[in-house]
Amino acid sequence: MEKGITKGSGKYLNRYPFSGKIICSECGGKFKRRIHSKNGGKYVAWCCGKHIDDVTACSMKFIRNADVEKAFVTMMNKLVYGRRFVLRPLLESLREMDQSDSFGMIQELELRMEKNAEQRQILTGLMAKGYLEPALFNKENNELLQEAAELEMQKNGLSHSVNGEMVKTGEVEALLKFAEKGEMLTAFDGELFGRFVEQITVYSRNGIGFQMKCGLTLRERM
Ligand SMILES: [Zn+2]
């Protein structure tokens, strides 16, 4: 995976899970990906862009890619392991906050999402059997896909203020659903990172915070 990526930088900007997502707590700048050399070996590091341009403008030191990956794995495993103490109580308190409102809405949205998935399955079945013109299939399928995306967005947008932070109920539910599977991560998973993490804040070389899509910020030592 790391082969051949040492050349250039600009055109690979969005190729990595952390690209554009690591923020410096000192200056607010974005971290850039760099290849560092040490004792003849090479490793991937992330460094504050302002610090790279002018060390006197920001004193934040670089962090290693491998350490950030490790911190993500640890953070997710803590959520999996401690789901009874973190995510489930949070979700329960969100539920109590207004049972009638957002949870009723979420249930309704989920029902509509299930129906939407069923309809797409039926369409695909009809198409496979040759009962549908491809043009008609594409049109109807695209409409359903668009509706599915809108429903998902509505679900994720339902939010509440918890301890002054806006917490997205649908996203907490999704995170808990993942944690409930009880599967510990054994390696970094970029897709999972992209699914649940909005951005990373670097406090120091030894500490970062994962700002989750659900609104929680989870700190990890490195
Ligand atoms: Zn900085």
Side-chain angles (χ1 to χ4, degrees):
M1 181 192 157
E2 295 293 320
K3 254 181 208 166
I5 52 173
T6 51
K7 314 162 222 154
S9 59
K11 50 182 169 173
Y12 298 111
L13 262 182
N14 293 315
R15 191 168 155 186
Y16 309 101
F18 301 145
S19 296
K21 290 202 169 179
I22 306 182
I23 310 295
C24 175
S25 70
E26 187 178 319
C27 73
K30 280 186 180 162
F31 272 49
K32 290 179 178 165
R33 189 176 187 278
R34 311 243 286 183
I35 306 296
H36 286 188
S37 304
K38 196 189 177 188
N39 304 328
K42 285 184 172 163
Y43 64 89
V44 179
W46 293 87
C47 193
C48 172
K50 205 169 201 174
H51 177 90
I52 295 172
D53 293 340
D54 178 8
V55 266
T56 61
C58 176
S59 69
M60 190 62 79
K61 300 266 184 5
F62 73 87
I63 51 175
R64 286 172 185 251
N65 189 72
D67 289 342
V68 183
E69 289 185 348
K70 231 183 279 169
F72 174 74
V73 170
T74 306
M75 184 270 296
M76 288 304 281
N77 283 343
K78 278 184 190 167
L79 284 180
V80 173
Y81 185 75
R83 58 191 178 272
R84 284 180 206 87
F85 315 107
V86 184
L87 292 175
R88 219 178 282 161
L90 175 63
L91 198 58
E92 271 159 21
S93 68
L94 284 169
R95 267 185 191 138
E96 277 163 24
M97 238 177 246
D98 72 3
Q99 264 170 333
S100 53
D101 261 31
S102 63
F103 270 88
M105 276 165 81
I106 281 180
Q107 273 174 348
E108 199 190 302
L109 287 168
E110 280 177 344
L111 259 162
R112 286 174 63 192
M113 284 158 92
E114 267 172 44
K115 228 180 215 160
N116 179 294
E118 262 171 44
Q119 283 175 307
R120 272 183 287 145
Q121 226 170 6
I122 292 170
L123 265 186
T124 308
L126 288 174
M127 177 70 187
K129 285 178 186 149
Y131 295 148
L132 263 185
E133 290 294 322
L136 185 62
F137 168 80
N138 283 334
K139 183 180 169 281
E140 300 215 343
N141 196 49
N142 283 341
E143 279 171 11
L144 284 170
L145 283 174
Q146 200 186 330
E147 190 200 40
E150 277 164 17
L151 290 170
E152 182 79 37
M153 254 166 49
Q154 280 181 43
K155 187 186 157 195
N156 290 339
L158 290 168
S159 54
H160 280 292
S161 175
V162 175
N163 302 327
E165 283 194 277
M166 286 308 282
V167 176
K168 290 180 181 168
T169 326
E171 285 289 336
V172 175
E173 211 185 31
L175 196 53
L176 181 61
K177 217 175 255 177
F178 168 80
E180 293 281 14
K181 281 193 243 160
E183 287 166 14
M184 296 284 195
L185 297 187
T186 52
F188 178 72
D189 182 336
E191 215 171 284
L192 204 63
F193 173 83
R195 171 65 190 86
F196 289 122
V197 179
E198 189 68 43
Q199 65 177 41
I200 293 172
T201 305
V202 179
Y203 305 113
S204 74
R205 174 164 262 181
N206 306 315
I208 59 174
F210 292 95
Q211 204 181 306
M212 309 299 280
K213 290 205 169 149
C214 67
L216 295 175
T217 298
L218 301 164
R219 289 188 179 227
E220 275 303 319
R221 288 190 61 80
M222 294 203 297

